[in-house]
């Protein structure tokens, strides 16, 4: 799995063959087929493994203030993005598989778990529709910013991370004008 993740992280999935993975792992082609059945199954297994790695990195470590926890998690998120650049880009841009299938389920599952982590960091039991929309919008913004940063790298990563935290605060500020619960949350966070 480590060899497959490395290859999918450095090259587009379409450009990786079972032979490439077998050679990188020091295993036979037959052995790779035995465990994974084919390239699509191997790709899905690699994505699941990457999703688990990302999620384990994003779990709060220090139990500090919610925005500090969010900033720390964002740094770990961008560490992952940087380490798995090609695979991250391929995954979010659609990859070789049908996004409505297993790959789409993996991506959506990661997004749902990220949402719950952020919700937990903000100490919110049940988000209002306005807060739910705001948090999901921010997650999409982080993904888009990650893709843009990988493509251009013309913004310092630390600046981008700070900007995204400020973006969250700004989004919450707008949402607060529509929802009293969000206004109270924003006061707690500030």
């Amino acid at each position: 799995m480590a060899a497959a993740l490395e290859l999918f992280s450095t090259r587009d999935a379409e450009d990786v063959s079972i032979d490439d993975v077998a050679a990188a792992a020091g295993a036979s082609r037959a052995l790779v087929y035995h465990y994974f059945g084919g390239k699509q199954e191997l790709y899905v297994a690699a994505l699941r493994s990457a999703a688990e790695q990302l999620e384990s990195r994003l779990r709060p470590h220090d139990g500090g203030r919610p925005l500090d926890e969010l900033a720390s998690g964002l740094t770990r998120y961008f560490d992952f993005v940087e380490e798995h650049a090609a695979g991250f880009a391929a995954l979010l841009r659609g990859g070789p598989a049908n996004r409505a299938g297993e790959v789409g389920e993996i991506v959506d599952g990661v997004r749902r778990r990220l949402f719950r982590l952020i919700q937990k960091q903000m100490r919110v039991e049940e988000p209002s529709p306005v807060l739910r929309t705001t948090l999901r919008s921010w997650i999409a913004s982080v993904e888009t910013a990650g893709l843009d940063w990988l493509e251009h790298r013309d913004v310092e990563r630390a600046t981008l991370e700070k900007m995204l935290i400020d973006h969250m605060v700004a989004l919450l500020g707008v949402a607060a004008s529509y929802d009293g619960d969000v206004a109270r949350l924003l006061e707690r966070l500030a």
Side-chain angles (χ1 to χ4, degrees):
M1 186 59 61
L5 278 173
E6 178 64 29
L7 288 171
F8 289 132
S9 293
T10 57
R11 296 176 16 202
D12 287 336
E14 292 88 2
D15 298 332
V16 176
S17 70
I18 292 290
D19 289 335
D20 294 334
V21 174
S28 72
R29 181 177 201 238
L31 190 61
V32 175
Y33 273 108
H34 172 74
Y35 282 106
F36 298 103
K39 182 175 161 179
Q40 177 64 23
E41 293 84 358
L42 177 61
Y43 180 71
V44 168
L47 290 180
R48 279 199 176 104
S49 177
E52 290 168 8
Q53 288 178 30
L54 174 60
E55 289 173 34
S56 71
R57 287 187 188 196
L58 295 179
R59 289 189 185 97
H61 289 276
D62 48 331
R65 294 179 358 175
L67 288 178
D68 293 338
E69 289 179 15
L70 191 63
S72 178
L74 196 56
T75 295
R76 292 189 304 274
Y77 178 88
F78 274 96
D79 287 344
F80 182 86
V81 168
E82 194 164 18
E83 291 169 22
H84 302 284
F88 175 84
L91 176 64
L92 290 181
R93 289 190 175 126
N98 178 353
R99 289 299 300 262
E102 288 179 282
V103 172
E105 289 173 20
I106 292 168
V107 173
D108 290 341
V110 169
R111 287 177 180 146
R112 282 190 304 274
R113 288 184 287 280
L114 289 176
F115 178 88
R116 285 192 300 270
L117 280 172
I118 294 167
Q119 179 184 336
K120 185 178 179 181
Q121 286 174 326
M122 292 189 173
R123 296 159 181 90
V124 172
E125 289 292 322
E126 186 63 36
S128 68
V130 170
L131 181 57
R132 183 191 64 237
T133 302
T134 300
L135 297 181
R136 292 181 74 188
S137 297
W138 185 77
I139 290 168
S141 294
V142 169
E143 289 176 357
T144 302
L147 289 171
D148 184 77
W149 180 75
L150 284 174
E151 184 178 343
H152 300 285
R153 296 198 191 232
D154 53 359
V155 175
E156 291 292 322
R157 196 179 118 178
T159 301
L160 178 61
E161 291 173 15
K162 172 83 171 86
M163 185 177 76
L164 287 167
I165 295 301
D166 291 345
H167 184 198
M168 170 66 89
V169 172
L171 285 171
L172 290 171
V174 171
S177 66
Y178 294 89
D179 185 326
D181 289 339
V182 177
R184 286 183 287 283
L185 170 64
L186 191 55
E187 285 175 21
R188 254 190 12 247
L189 296 176

